[in-house]
Amino acid sequence: MPHTDHVRTPEAWAFTDHEGRIESASRGIGTLLGVGGLLRGDSLVDVLPLPRKALQFDIDAALQGWPTTRTMTIEAPGLRERKVRYLVSRALQELGSGL
């Protein structure tokens, strides 16, 4: 039987506006997604390896108050394939709401 190692990575998070543009994020989000240099204003929607239709469903549901979770597989050059579970929920902040 092959041996498999389960690797836990630090929690990665990002707060975005309603269109999925990053407002703030943890340092680990770029590493987790296999992209470097994510900055405020970058589109998180463009770097998540999901069909846009699925992601838009998750965003619409979260904006209506129904948090959604999904498991996705991330493949990036030079990195092992990773299964990641993510949560999209509405975030209420001082300056308004976001995801």
Side-chain angles (χ1 to χ4, degrees):
M1 177 186 283
H3 176 70
T4 58
D5 290 326
H6 295 283
V7 178
R8 267 193 89 113
T9 57
E11 188 172 314
W13 55 266
F15 289 109
T16 70
D17 63 11
H18 292 186
E19 284 84 39
R21 288 185 305 268
I22 295 173
E23 292 184 356
S24 61
S26 68
R27 290 182 181 183
I29 192 78
T31 303
L32 178 70
L33 296 174
V35 295
L38 289 176
L39 302 171
R40 185 168 197 241
D42 288 347
S43 175
L44 192 58
V45 173
D46 290 341
V47 297
L48 285 175
L50 285 172
R52 249 188 219 280
K53 199 174 206 179
L55 202 47
Q56 191 59 54
F57 173 83
D58 294 341
I59 289 170
D60 292 341
L63 289 173
Q64 300 213 0
W66 295 95
T68 57
T69 60
R70 190 178 298 269
T71 301
M72 64 182 169
T73 301
I74 298 175
E75 298 176 12
L79 297 174
R80 288 183 13 191
E81 179 181 283
R82 295 162 324 279
K83 288 194 187 274
V84 175
R85 182 178 174 116
Y86 80 91
L87 166 73
V88 179
S89 65
R90 186 171 57 182
L92 302 176
Q93 301 172 342
E94 287 181 24
L95 303 174
S97 64
L99 298 172

